[in-house]
């Protein structure tokens, strides 16, 4: 992987800021907007939109569930929550409703019926959301980046630097970022703050990425945010020397910062999208930098090993901040500590300054005793499964303590901490969506996540027979995921999810057979059929004496797979 002096990528360069003078006489030499010079945008109105070149990779796979979810009427419909992605939304002209003859028409609509406010998540709002998404999906997706903060810096400058109006807790890492972000959000909210949360990718609907007061913004709000920032995005697009417009993620990041400023929020929990140093979210300077466990992922951008990935993710640790670090391999930890020393950041490490003291499996989750920066917090009920989620809880707790300045003699109110953790919701993370047979959904999308999932299933569940439904993205380590799952499942049904980048069925089937053997692998062309097949497998038995209860289905392999499954089982975006 090529590396420059300051990192693995070369920053973009710009010329003298003027368009070419084809006549050589200086006439028509118009000033080009320079991303490095905010003053060059002065007096500029909306410019014409620049379409993305059709030869570029367009990969809206992370948003693939949106269209099905929106057009399908959301989670309504289906037998047992499976199938029938929704209602037929085709509508013709709506007939006029008769009104009273003596109605005051100047105060009412044309038929004397008082107009009602539109539903911010209704069909019209969803249609407008789809139109916005179609436009955004013409931009570079999150799987393709040009490592530079120039574009996002120019955008937030034009927007009036909304990211400077509130303290930021910045979260990066390989696994657990979303879970930790939700826990931090819950804790801060319970402490009385108004909180904004920006996470990625989403499970079902893109509005999940920007949350206020613990809930996704409405479809109408998302559309309004886009329309508000669109003129400024166009300015930044026009200022790019190489013709590369802002990526979709960069635009969404600007929208999130603007939403939090408009609210306004008293704290923002911001999850890095990919890496750290070059991630668009890193235009913000986090008061607290939270680093979850780091492993190997996105090797094309972050390098072939965890140490290279750590070097990129360490970029969110800013001067004077507090770095709250999960347990890491020693080589990875060394990289993070070197960055902290370089920028004079304080450090809190799991296993040293904080951690999980005791953990007991409980009905619907686990009971924890946590060592925080300000003391011991006991009788913490966490409605999530797995030792990895207990570690995430300790990390989130320490981050919030650091945010409030907690220390040896300054502990958070323990009842508030208990209430916050007890109310944590974490969709798509070992989420139960059906009881008989049990169907669990998990968004594990790399070997590290799959190993944590398999360990939790083995330690905390007692299935008579467990069948996995697996759909993986083409650029992921499918073999590593399947290897991790093999010891804990009886059979695997491989399939595809709704993303364009979903691994081809033949390729995934071949890898599954090499690990499980031909007798333990089935292949189905779509997720709905795969889930139905898996349920059929766990409900049958060759032994008439064997009880049919105790069977389970585990749907996993990708965030998109988890989102598709939530929609099939009638779960609303959250």
């Amino acid at each position: 992987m090529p590396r420059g002096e300051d990192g693995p990528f070369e920053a973009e360069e710009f010329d003298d800021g003027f368009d070419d003078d084809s006549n050589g006489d200086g006439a028509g030499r118009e000033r080009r907007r320079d991303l490095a010079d905010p003053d060059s945008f002065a007096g500029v109105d909306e410019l014409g939109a620049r379409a993305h070149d059709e030869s570029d990779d367009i990969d809206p796979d992370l948003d693939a569930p949106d269209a099905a979810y929106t057009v399908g009427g959301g989670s309504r419909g289906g037998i047992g929550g499976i199938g029938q992605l929704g209602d037929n939304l085709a509508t013709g002209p709506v007939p006029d409703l008769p009104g009273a003859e003596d109605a005051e028409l100047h105060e009412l609509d044309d038929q004397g019926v008082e107009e009602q406010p539109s539903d911010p998540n209704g069909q019209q709002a969803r249609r407008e959301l789809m139109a916005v998404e179609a436009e955004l999906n013409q931009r570079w997706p999150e799987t393709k980046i040009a490592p530079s903060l120039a574009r996002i810096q120019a955008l937030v400058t034009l927007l009036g630097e909304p990211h400077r109006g509130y303290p930021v807790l910045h979260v990066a890492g390989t696994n657990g970022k979303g879970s930790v972000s939700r826990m931090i959000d819950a804790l801060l909210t319970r402490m009385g703050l108004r909180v904004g949360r920006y996470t990625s990718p989403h499970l079902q609907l893109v509005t999940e990425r920007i949350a206020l007061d613990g809930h996704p913004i409405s479809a109408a709000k998302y559309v309004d945010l886009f329309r508000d920032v669109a003129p400024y995005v166009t300015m930044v697009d026009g200022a790019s020397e190489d013709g590369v417009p802002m990526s979709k993620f960069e635009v969404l990041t600007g929208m999130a910062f603007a939403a939090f400023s408009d609210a306004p929020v008293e704290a923002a929990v911001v999850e890095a999208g990919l890496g750290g140093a070059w991630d668009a979210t890193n235009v913000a300077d986090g008061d607290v930098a939270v680093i979850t466990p780091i492993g190997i992922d996105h090797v094309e951008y972050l390098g072939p090993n965890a140490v290279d990935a750590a070097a990129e993710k360490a970029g969110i640790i800013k001067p004077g901040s507090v770095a709250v670090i999960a347990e890491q391999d020693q080589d990875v930890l060394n990289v993070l500590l070197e960055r902290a020393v370089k920028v004079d950041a304080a450090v809190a490490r799991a296993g040293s300054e904080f951690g999980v003291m005791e953990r007991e499996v409980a009905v619907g989750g686990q009971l924890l005793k946590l060592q925080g920066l300000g003391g011991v917090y006991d009788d913490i009920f966490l409605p999530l499964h797995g030792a990895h989620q207990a570690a995430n809880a300790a990390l989130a707790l320490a981050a919030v303590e650091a945010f409030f300045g907690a220390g040896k003699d300054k502990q958070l109110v323990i009842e508030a901490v208990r209430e916050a953790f007890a109310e944590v919701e974490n969709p798509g993370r070992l989420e139960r969506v059906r009881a008989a047979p049990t169907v669990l959904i998990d968004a594990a999308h790399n070997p590290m996540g799959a190993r944590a999932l398999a360990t939790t299933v083995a330690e905390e569940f007692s299935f008579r027979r467990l069948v996995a439904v697996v759909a993986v993205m083409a650029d992921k380590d499918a073999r590593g995921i399947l290897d991790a799952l093999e010891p804990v499942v009886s059979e695997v049904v491989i399939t595809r999810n709704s993303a364009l980048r979903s691994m081809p069925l033949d390729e995934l089937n071949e890898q599954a057979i090499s690990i499980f053997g031909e007798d333990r692998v089935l292949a189905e062309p779509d997720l709905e059929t795969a889930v139905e097949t898996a349920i059929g497998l766990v409900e049958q038995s060759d032994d008439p004496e064997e009880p049919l209860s105790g069977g389970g289905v585990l749907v996993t392999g990708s965030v998109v797979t988890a989102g598709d499954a939530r929609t099939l089982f009638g779960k609303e975006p959250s």
Side-chain angles (χ1 to χ4, degrees):
M1 181 176 65
R3 300 188 65 90
E5 291 182 359
D6 299 323
F9 305 102
E10 294 292 334
E12 298 173 16
E13 296 179 356
F14 300 92
D15 61 13
D16 65 358
F18 291 90
D19 292 328
D20 291 337
D21 182 9
S22 57
N23 298 324
D25 57 2
R29 238 172 104 78
E30 181 179 354
R31 177 79 179 175
R32 183 186 297 117
R33 314 305 160 195
D34 188 346
L35 298 187
D37 179 16
D39 291 337
S40 69
F41 289 94
V44 179
D45 292 323
E46 298 180 27
L47 307 178
R50 174 181 295 183
H52 198 59
D53 193 291
E54 294 181 358
S55 65
D56 287 329
D57 295 336
I58 296 176
D59 187 4
D61 61 284
L62 291 177
D63 298 326
D66 290 6
Y69 189 90
T70 306
V71 177
S75 60
R76 299 182 298 277
I79 300 174
I82 303 177
Q84 301 179 16
L85 284 179
D87 306 328
N88 184 349
L89 300 187
T91 59
V94 179
D96 290 336
L97 298 176
E101 292 182 1
D102 59 349
E104 295 285 342
L105 295 182
H106 66 283
E107 294 180 353
L108 305 172
D109 66 14
D110 62 340
Q111 290 298 320
V113 179
E114 187 175 358
E115 292 186 6
Q116 299 295 322
S118 59
D119 182 354
N121 281 313
Q123 293 180 8
Q124 181 59 35
R126 290 289 182 90
R127 290 190 179 100
E128 293 178 1
L129 175 63
M130 286 181 63
V132 167
E133 283 299 277
E135 182 174 345
L136 284 171
N137 284 340
Q138 299 306 307
R139 297 177 177 273
W140 279 3
E142 283 127 307
T143 52
K144 181 176 181 180
I145 64 171
S148 169
L149 296 181
R151 289 176 297 277
I152 184 62
Q153 182 61 65
L155 178 61
V156 294
T157 298
L158 291 170
L159 293 175
E161 298 195 325
H163 60 305
R164 304 294 184 192
Y166 38 80
V168 171
L169 296 92
H170 204 173
V171 184
T174 301
N175 287 92
K177 291 182 297 180
S179 298
V180 170
S181 296
R182 284 178 174 267
M183 292 177 190
I184 293 174
D185 187 350
L187 286 163
L188 291 174
T189 298
R190 187 60 189 81
M191 299 300 162
L193 300 186
R194 188 170 199 202
V195 183
R197 184 182 73 236
Y198 179 51
T199 56
S200 62
H202 58 277
L203 287 172
Q204 295 167 273
L205 199 62
V206 70
T207 54
E208 299 167 26
R209 297 184 177 214
I210 304 174
L212 291 170
D213 303 317
H215 302 286
I217 61 172
S218 67
K221 178 64 175 177
Y222 184 94
V223 172
D224 289 344
L225 281 169
F226 173 74
R227 289 172 177 168
D228 286 345
V229 306
Y232 305 102
V233 170
T234 303
M235 294 181 196
V236 177
D237 287 348
S240 177
E241 180 185 86
D242 59 6
V244 176
M246 297 192 74
S247 70
K248 179 176 181 178
F249 185 75
E250 289 171 332
V251 176
L252 293 183
T253 301
M255 289 167 58
F257 288 146
F260 299 158
S261 180
D262 290 344
V265 302
E266 296 167 286
V269 184
V270 177
E271 177 189 342
L274 194 159
W278 291 113
D279 190 76
T281 61
N282 205 35
V283 71
D285 294 326
D287 295 75
V288 180
V290 186
I291 310 291
T292 70
I294 294 175
I296 300 173
D297 203 3
H298 300 294
V299 295
E300 67 275 25
Y301 291 114
L302 304 182
N305 56 64
V307 171
D308 287 338
E312 292 300 315
K313 296 176 190 293
I316 73 164
I317 303 175
K318 299 297 180 63
S321 67
V322 180
V324 184
I325 303 173
E327 290 194 30
Q328 311 281 353
D329 289 340
Q330 189 59 51
D331 290 343
V332 168
L333 181 60
N334 290 342
V335 171
L336 300 175
L337 294 178
E338 287 171 4
R339 169 67 180 180
V341 170
K342 180 178 179 180
V343 299
D344 194 26
V347 174
R349 298 159 296 171
S352 295
E353 287 75 29
F354 67 91
V356 179
M357 298 179 68
E358 296 178 9
R359 172 177 170 270
E360 179 182 347
V361 176
V363 176
Q366 51 192 311
L367 194 63
L368 306 176
K369 183 177 181 180
L370 304 177
Q371 173 66 58
L373 303 180
V376 175
Y377 300 78
D378 59 1
D379 294 328
I380 304 295
F381 175 71
L382 182 67
L384 304 174
H385 296 280
H388 61 295
Q389 293 292 10
N392 287 339
L395 184 65
L397 176 63
V400 173
E401 288 184 299
F403 177 80
F404 283 112
K408 183 177 180 182
D409 300 319
K410 189 177 179 182
Q411 188 177 38
L412 301 178
V413 178
I414 191 166
E415 283 302 324
V417 171
R418 288 170 180 159
E419 291 174 9
F421 277 123
E423 295 172 359
V424 167
E425 295 181 356
N426 202 11
R429 274 73 180 180
L430 260 180
E431 179 183 15
R432 187 191 300 264
V433 294
R434 178 169 170 165
T438 297
V439 178
L440 300 170
I441 295 174
D442 195 271
H445 58 278
N446 55 39
M448 188 178 185
R451 286 192 294 270
L453 170 60
T455 299
T456 302
V457 168
E459 292 179 351
E460 301 186 21
F461 295 87
S462 298
F463 290 112
R464 169 185 57 82
R465 184 178 189 180
L466 180 64
V467 176
V469 175
V470 179
V472 182
M473 296 304 218
D475 60 342
K476 295 294 183 177
D477 183 0
R479 178 173 294 278
I481 294 171
L482 292 168
D483 266 330
L485 296 175
E486 190 276 332
V488 299
V489 302
S490 303
E491 293 92 11
V492 61
V493 183
I494 59 98
T495 187
R496 287 176 54 85
N497 58 40
S498 61
L500 296 178
R501 274 194 311 125
S502 186
M503 182 171 288
L505 198 62
D506 290 345
E507 181 180 345
L508 186 57
N509 186 53
E510 182 179 343
Q511 294 196 44
I513 289 175
S514 70
I515 294 168
F516 286 81
E518 193 167 355
D519 293 342
R520 297 171 63 197
V521 178
L522 290 87
E524 296 290 359
D526 60 82
L527 184 64
E528 180 182 346
T529 305
V531 171
E532 291 173 344
T533 297
I535 290 174
L537 285 173
V538 300
E539 287 183 334
Q540 72 182 25
S541 174
D542 297 331
D543 184 357
E545 301 297 326
E546 183 180 21
L548 295 181
S549 61
V553 173
L554 175 62
V555 185
T556 190
S558 166
V559 174
V560 177
T561 304
D564 289 350
R566 291 194 92 242
T567 300
L568 287 174
F569 281 93
K571 295 293 183 178
E572 290 289 339
S574 62

